[in-house]
Short mmCIF file of all heavy atoms in Angstrom, two decimals:
data_model
loop_
_atom_site.label_atom_id
_atom_site.label_comp_id
_atom_site.label_asym_id
_atom_site.label_seq_id
_atom_site.Cartn_x
_atom_site.Cartn_y
_atom_site.Cartn_z
N GLN B 4 5.83 5.45 -3.50
CA GLN B 4 6.37 6.25 -2.41
C GLN B 4 5.48 6.16 -1.20
O GLN B 4 4.32 5.78 -1.31
CB GLN B 4 6.49 7.70 -2.86
CG GLN B 4 7.40 7.91 -4.05
CD GLN B 4 7.39 9.36 -4.51
OE1 GLN B 4 6.81 10.23 -3.93
NE2 GLN B 4 8.07 9.60 -5.62
N LYS B 22 8.12 -9.29 13.86
CA LYS B 22 8.82 -9.82 12.70
C LYS B 22 8.22 -9.20 11.45
O LYS B 22 7.17 -8.57 11.49
CB LYS B 22 8.72 -11.33 12.61
CG LYS B 22 7.31 -11.85 12.42
CD LYS B 22 7.30 -13.35 12.30
CE LYS B 22 5.87 -13.86 12.11
NZ LYS B 22 5.82 -15.30 11.89
N LEU B 28 1.60 -4.17 -0.66
CA LEU B 28 0.50 -3.40 -1.21
C LEU B 28 0.13 -4.06 -2.53
O LEU B 28 0.98 -4.26 -3.38
CB LEU B 28 0.90 -1.92 -1.43
CG LEU B 28 -0.07 -1.02 -2.17
CD1 LEU B 28 -1.44 -0.97 -1.48
CD2 LEU B 28 0.51 0.37 -2.32
N GLU B 43 -0.96 -6.33 3.51
CA GLU B 43 -0.66 -7.44 4.39
C GLU B 43 0.82 -7.41 4.76
O GLU B 43 1.63 -6.85 4.04
CB GLU B 43 -1.03 -8.77 3.74
CG GLU B 43 -0.30 -9.06 2.44
CD GLU B 43 -0.85 -10.28 1.70
OE1 GLU B 43 -1.95 -10.76 2.05
OE2 GLU B 43 -0.16 -10.74 0.79
N PHE B 44 1.14 -8.03 5.88
CA PHE B 44 2.54 -8.13 6.30
C PHE B 44 3.28 -9.10 5.38
O PHE B 44 2.72 -10.08 4.90
CB PHE B 44 2.64 -8.62 7.73
CG PHE B 44 2.12 -7.62 8.73
CD1 PHE B 44 0.97 -7.89 9.46
CD2 PHE B 44 2.77 -6.43 8.95
CE1 PHE B 44 0.49 -6.99 10.40
CE2 PHE B 44 2.31 -5.51 9.88
CZ PHE B 44 1.15 -5.80 10.60
N GLN B 60 11.43 2.02 5.58
CA GLN B 60 10.44 0.94 5.55
C GLN B 60 10.22 0.47 4.13
O GLN B 60 10.36 1.23 3.18
CB GLN B 60 9.11 1.40 6.15
CG GLN B 60 9.20 1.82 7.60
CD GLN B 60 9.75 0.70 8.48
OE1 GLN B 60 9.27 -0.42 8.45
NE2 GLN B 60 10.77 1.02 9.26
N PHE B 79 -0.64 7.74 5.70
CA PHE B 79 -1.41 7.31 6.86
C PHE B 79 -1.99 8.57 7.48
O PHE B 79 -1.24 9.49 7.86
CB PHE B 79 -0.54 6.56 7.86
CG PHE B 79 -1.34 5.93 8.96
CD1 PHE B 79 -2.01 4.73 8.74
CD2 PHE B 79 -1.45 6.53 10.20
CE1 PHE B 79 -2.75 4.15 9.75
CE2 PHE B 79 -2.20 5.96 11.20
CZ PHE B 79 -2.85 4.76 10.98
N GLU B 103 -14.56 2.20 -1.23
CA GLU B 103 -13.89 0.92 -1.01
C GLU B 103 -13.22 0.37 -2.25
O GLU B 103 -12.36 -0.49 -2.19
CB GLU B 103 -14.88 -0.11 -0.45
CG GLU B 103 -15.33 0.20 0.94
CD GLU B 103 -14.20 0.14 1.98
OE1 GLU B 103 -13.39 -0.79 1.91
OE2 GLU B 103 -14.17 1.00 2.84
N SER B 104 -13.65 0.80 -3.45
CA SER B 104 -13.08 0.26 -4.65
C SER B 104 -12.91 1.38 -5.68
O SER B 104 -13.42 2.48 -5.56
CB SER B 104 -13.95 -0.86 -5.22
OG SER B 104 -15.21 -0.39 -5.59
#
Side-chain angles (χ1 to χ4, degrees):
Q4 299 176 4
K22 64 178 179 176
L28 172 59
E43 60 189 14
F44 293 112
Q60 299 303 309
F79 188 80
E103 292 295 318
S104 63

